[in-house]
Amino acid sequence: MIRAAIFDLDGVIIDTAHYHYIAWKRLASEFAINLTKEHNELLKGVSRIRSLEIILELGNIQLSEEDKELYANKKNGWFVEYIESIRPEEIFSGVPELIQSMRDQSLKVALASSSKNAPRVIELLKIERLFDTMVDGTMITHTKPDPEIFLLAASRLGFVPSECVVFEDAEAGVEAAVAAGMKCVGVGSPEQLGKANQVIARTGDFRISQLNVL
Ligand code: B16
Ligand code: MG
């Protein structure tokens, strides 16, 4: 019996991946690396430092841990600037309605985002009231595909993993949900998210009647 829903942020509620992409592309150009949208897929759901490492691997570039920290901070400065323009209209269509319908049926709802900037994004979208709890990148040691973030969200809601369903758009996130022992709805393409129990094209396509047949 599903009693709680856990939502990823980037790619499930809003396309912040676009803002991550333009900030990483700007940084990559400093290393003469042409970061493409295909490369950007590899960065979804993984931590800031891991994202930088993936980009550096593309250019066969080695940096000290100190320099990695410096460049990751530089990218984050741009990202933080870019997201200030986020407006509530950017939230994916049908998402507030889906979450509200879950709440109306007494399900508890959590946000679980690897992003350390998730609280600011949620504030800009003006949707704090939709979540019973929020877990972000500042609260965890291991990022997806490690299950830590989803297990923390479930324990904060007071449910065991088998009572939770995760909505995820990244392969690393689907793997994390499966490793946590939770049901998973993938948002995106079945080729990429094949390990999920069900894959839908857009979060707003999900119908609450599908919850207990996952
Ligand atoms: P930050 P999610 C993730 O958010 C993004 O998908 C990923 O691309 C990003 O590197 C990560 O957050 C960390 O973000 O640099 O803002 O802390 O999909 O877990 O909501
Ligand atoms: Mg995501």
Side-chain angles (χ1 to χ4, degrees):
M1 176 89 178
I2 298 294
R3 294 198 156 90
I6 302 175
F7 287 83
D8 170 50
L9 175 63
D10 174 24
V12 169
I13 292 178
I14 180 181
D15 185 16
T16 30
H18 170 69
Y19 299 100
H20 282 296
Y21 175 55
I22 54 176
W24 281 127
K25 196 171 173 63
R26 185 170 167 186
L27 190 81
S29 71
E30 292 196 0
F31 294 98
I33 297 168
N34 178 27
L35 192 77
T36 65
K37 291 212 160 169
E38 286 68 42
H39 294 143
N40 194 48
E41 286 303 308
L42 304 170
L43 312 182
K44 289 187 179 174
V46 303
S47 72
R48 195 180 305 167
I49 284 288
R50 185 62 203 132
S51 300
L52 174 65
E53 286 169 351
I54 292 170
I55 293 168
L56 293 174
E57 281 161 21
L58 290 171
N60 216 358
I61 292 161
Q62 270 101 40
L63 288 183
S64 66
E65 293 306 309
E66 207 178 19
D67 280 349
K68 279 188 205 166
E69 201 63 41
L70 208 103
Y71 282 107
N73 284 342
K74 191 168 182 180
K75 175 267 173 181
N76 190 56
W78 292 326
F79 179 73
V80 167
E81 251 174 55
Y82 298 155
I83 61 169
E84 282 308 305
S85 64
I86 284 178
R87 290 163 294 109
E89 294 72 44
E90 283 176 65
I91 191 161
F92 291 151
S93 99
V95 173
E97 293 82 356
L98 171 65
I99 298 180
Q100 192 53 53
S101 71
M102 290 173 161
R103 297 180 66 87
D104 292 344
Q105 298 212 10
S106 302
L107 261 83
K108 294 281 183 195
V109 182
L111 181 85
S113 168
S114 307
S115 176
K116 294 178 175 159
N117 297 296
R120 180 64 184 143
V121 173
I122 293 297
E123 193 184 359
L124 287 161
L125 293 176
K126 301 191 193 325
I127 53 169
E128 296 100 319
R129 65 187 161 77
L130 291 178
F131 302 101
D132 296 289
T133 192
M134 292 194 245
V135 182
D136 64 55
T138 64
M139 304 173 184
I140 50 167
T141 315
H142 307 289
T143 49
K144 304 163 188 174
D146 190 283
E148 182 182 355
I149 193 162
F150 295 134
L151 293 173
L152 180 59
S155 85
R156 284 172 70 128
L157 291 176
F159 294 107
V160 294
S162 59
E163 294 173 309
C164 302
V165 59
V166 171
F167 289 78
E168 252 297 342
D169 71 307
E171 209 173 332
V174 171
E175 281 173 25
V178 172
M182 299 178 183
K183 298 283 188 204
C184 185
V185 175
V187 180
S189 73
E191 296 75 45
Q192 205 193 352
L193 307 175
K195 291 181 189 148
N197 299 86
Q198 186 185 342
V199 180
I200 51 178
R202 301 171 327 114
T203 314
D205 292 344
F206 191 78
R207 293 290 156 263
I208 198 162
S209 56
Q210 297 168 290
L211 266 184
N212 286 307
V213 290
L214 284 171

